[in-house]
């Protein structure tokens, strides 16, 4: 496959992730921050996100299943998770976080449980899609994503 | 990094989230700022040479920090609002209460758009309030404050609306100021 073809594939995948609402404009902003000195910035940040969020999700899971629910604590965890999601442009994940927080505020345990399933699901889906995306981008070469400008 | 010829501005970034620290660092470096990033308000104060317990102008004599303070030259502080322990608001207050640090412009970042929170920070002397995720266009707004900070004049806009609101699991007592502190 030639370089241009791969680049087109990368762009197509990105547009599709945006159109389907998995990602929002923030992801594009991150790509704009990439340059020759920091060619993998987005992938690094996203990797950070998934490492961090795995831990947070575990904490939330623990908090949900062990004993009486501490909604404040849950809300705090989710606040962090939502913040990180927002920072990388993970739109669907962020939206589920918002719903979860609403249930926390309402003290609605069942709502929390249900929404948490959604949070984990969206998180897993996004992880898979972005893994594919970055694999493709790496194959396409250093300026595989549109941020590859000399600054 | 010491490029003496270029007089780079030095920004101290404070955020408990590693991801957000990386992000703000990249944003600032892209805009040619020299960046130091720390993960808490107390580390920020330590870096600035002001120990947490000091509310006054006098720097606590400290063997390890005295000389350090002489070398630290921070032109702007940008801090997250919601942090465990010392919030960005607490940090802002401590900085504005400090004789040696009060002229350093402070910018607050927050993921939540709460007008009373924003007003409270602006009233306390913050130059700007950025909603997260912070954009390059936000960082572009910093330059005038850095220049003003050097000239020691600024007039942050205030709204007089006050409100009590909590940052996640943190309690704060508000100190009431009668007026604007002109820096």
């Amino acid at each position: 496959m030639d370089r241009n073809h791969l680049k087109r594939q990368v762009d197509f995948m990105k547009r599709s992730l945006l159109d389907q609402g998995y990602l929002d404009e923030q992801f594009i902003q991150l790509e704009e921050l990439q340059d020759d000195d920091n060619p993998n910035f987005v992938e690094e940040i996203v990797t950070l996100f998934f490492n961090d969020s795995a831990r947070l999700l575990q904490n939330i899971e623990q908090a949900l299943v062990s004993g009486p629910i501490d909604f404040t604590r849950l809300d705090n965890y989710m606040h962090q998770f939502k913040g990180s999601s927002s920072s990388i442009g993970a739109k669907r994940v962020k939206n589920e976080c918002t719903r979860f927080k609403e249930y926390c505020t309402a003290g609605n345990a069942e709502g929390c449980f249900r929404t948490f399933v959604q949070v984990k699901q969206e998180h897993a889906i996004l992880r898979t899609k972005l893994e594919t995306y970055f694999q493709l981008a790496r194959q396409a070469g250093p300026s595989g994503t549109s941020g590859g400008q000399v600054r | 990094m010491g490029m003496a010829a270029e007089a780079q501005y030095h920004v101290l970034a404070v955020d408990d989230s590693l991801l957000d620290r990386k992000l703000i660092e990249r944003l600032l470096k892209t805009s040619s700022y020299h960046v130091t990033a720390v993960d808490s308000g107390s580390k920020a104060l330590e870096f600035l040479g002001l120990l947490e317990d000091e509310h006054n102008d006098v720097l606590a004599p400290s063997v390890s920090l005295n000389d350090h303070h002489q070398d630290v030259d921070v032109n702007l502080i940008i801090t997250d609002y919601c942090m465990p322990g010392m919030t960005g608001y607490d940090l802002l207050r401590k900085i504005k209460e400090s004789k040696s640090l009060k002229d350093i412009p402070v910018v607050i970042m927050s993921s939540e758009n709460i007008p009373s929170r924003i007003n409270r920070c602006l009233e306390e002397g913050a130059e700007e309030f950025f909603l997260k995720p912070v954009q390059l266009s936000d960082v572009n707004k910093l330059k005038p404050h850095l220049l003003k900070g050097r000239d020691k004049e600024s007039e942050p806009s205030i709204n007089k609306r006050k409100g009590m609101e909590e940052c996640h699991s943190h309690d704060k007592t508000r100190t009431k100021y009668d007026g604007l502190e002109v820096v």
Side-chain angles (χ1 to χ4, degrees):
Chain A
M1 279 190 191
D2 80 313
R3 200 49 94 72
N4 285 329
H5 181 77
L6 281 169
K7 281 192 199 173
R8 277 199 302 276
Q9 273 199 298
V10 171
D11 280 341
F12 181 80
M13 188 173 178
K14 179 167 51 187
R15 261 183 295 126
S16 134
L17 288 171
L18 286 161
D19 288 342
Q20 290 173 67
Y22 287 105
L23 295 173
D24 62 28
E25 177 61 28
Q26 176 61 13
F27 191 81
I28 306 300
Q29 295 287 321
L30 292 182
E31 289 195 325
E32 307 260 290
L33 295 175
Q34 281 188 159
D35 55 23
D36 287 355
D37 293 329
N38 301 271
N40 303 309
F41 174 69
V42 188
E43 190 175 355
E44 285 164 16
I45 285 271
V46 169
T47 304
L48 206 60
F49 170 74
F50 283 111
N51 290 340
D52 211 39
S53 56
R55 180 186 53 88
L56 277 170
L57 287 176
Q58 260 186 341
N59 289 340
I60 295 170
E61 182 114 38
Q62 269 305 302
L64 280 171
V65 302
S66 38
I69 295 189
D70 183 344
F71 288 106
T72 306
R73 198 147 153 255
L74 273 180
D75 193 58
N76 285 344
Y77 283 139
M78 197 45 91
H79 179 75
Q80 289 177 58
F81 186 63
K82 182 181 166 185
S84 306
S85 308
S86 168
S87 291
I88 67 156
K91 189 177 181 186
R92 285 201 190 185
V93 175
K94 184 182 71 168
N95 289 342
E96 293 301 332
C97 292
T98 303
R99 287 178 53 215
F100 186 95
K101 280 168 67 78
E102 283 165 8
Y103 283 120
C104 280
T105 307
N108 183 337
E110 206 220 301
C112 285
F113 277 107
R114 271 187 289 116
T115 315
F116 187 59
V117 172
Q118 299 298 318
V119 171
K120 281 193 293 184
Q121 201 166 14
E122 289 298 340
H123 179 258
I125 291 170
L126 184 64
R127 180 181 224 145
T128 306
K129 288 188 184 286
L130 286 179
E131 268 166 10
T132 306
Y133 175 76
F134 286 119
Q135 235 166 45
L136 210 55
R138 263 181 267 127
Q139 279 171 37
S143 30
T145 53
S146 61
Q149 306 284 333
V150 177
R151 284 184 199 281
Chain B
M1 273 251 145
M3 296 188 58
E6 274 242 7
Q8 262 189 321
Y9 288 114
H10 182 194
V11 179
L12 176 63
V14 192
D15 200 316
D16 62 312
S17 156
L18 175 59
L19 196 151
D20 286 348
R21 267 201 314 283
K22 288 283 165 209
L23 184 49
I24 194 71
E25 206 170 351
R26 186 87 280 277
L27 283 165
L28 290 167
K29 283 182 175 169
T30 294
S31 310
S32 303
Y33 295 112
H34 173 49
V35 187
T36 300
V38 296
D39 65 4
S40 71
S42 40
K43 292 227 181 104
L45 290 176
E46 201 181 307
F47 182 80
L48 292 163
L50 185 66
L51 293 178
E52 193 176 328
D53 291 329
E54 289 302 310
H55 297 289
N56 309 321
D57 312 340
V58 180
L59 289 174
S62 151
V63 175
S64 55
L65 292 180
N66 246 346
D67 292 329
H68 183 58
H69 173 68
Q70 305 299 322
D71 298 324
V72 169
D73 190 14
V74 170
N75 305 115
L76 183 136
I77 298 161
I78 181 163
T79 177
D80 188 26
Y81 184 93
C82 268
M83 296 186 292
M86 192 187 298
T87 67
Y89 178 77
D90 297 330
L91 177 60
L92 168 66
R93 270 179 55 198
K94 286 195 195 282
I95 289 165
K96 293 305 173 187
E97 281 166 9
S98 156
K99 199 175 188 180
S100 54
L101 301 176
K102 67 180 175 62
D103 291 328
I104 304 178
V106 181
V107 170
I108 310 278
M109 307 178 277
S110 175
S111 52
E112 292 167 300
N113 188 352
I114 300 174
S116 59
R117 172 183 293 184
I118 297 172
N119 292 334
R120 203 150 60 108
C121 290
L122 293 176
E123 282 176 18
E124 201 64 41
E127 306 292 337
E128 294 268 1
F129 191 101
F130 293 158
L131 284 177
K132 284 179 158 186
V134 177
Q135 313 280 293
L136 209 49
S137 53
D138 294 318
V139 174
N140 291 339
K141 292 185 200 165
L142 295 178
K143 205 45 142 329
H145 298 297
L146 285 156
L147 294 170
K148 277 184 192 165
R150 293 225 154 143
D151 297 343
K152 296 190 185 196
E153 40 173 339
S154 75
E155 276 180 42
S157 63
I158 335 161
N159 266 322
K160 282 297 186 184
R161 277 184 294 145
K162 294 183 202 262
M164 283 297 287
E165 44 92 15
E166 297 268 317
C167 178
H168 292 262
S169 76
H170 308 310
D171 285 324
K172 297 175 295 301
T173 22
R174 289 181 56 206
T175 299
K176 292 203 188 324
Y177 282 93
D178 290 327
L180 227 203
E181 187 171 285
V182 178
V183 291

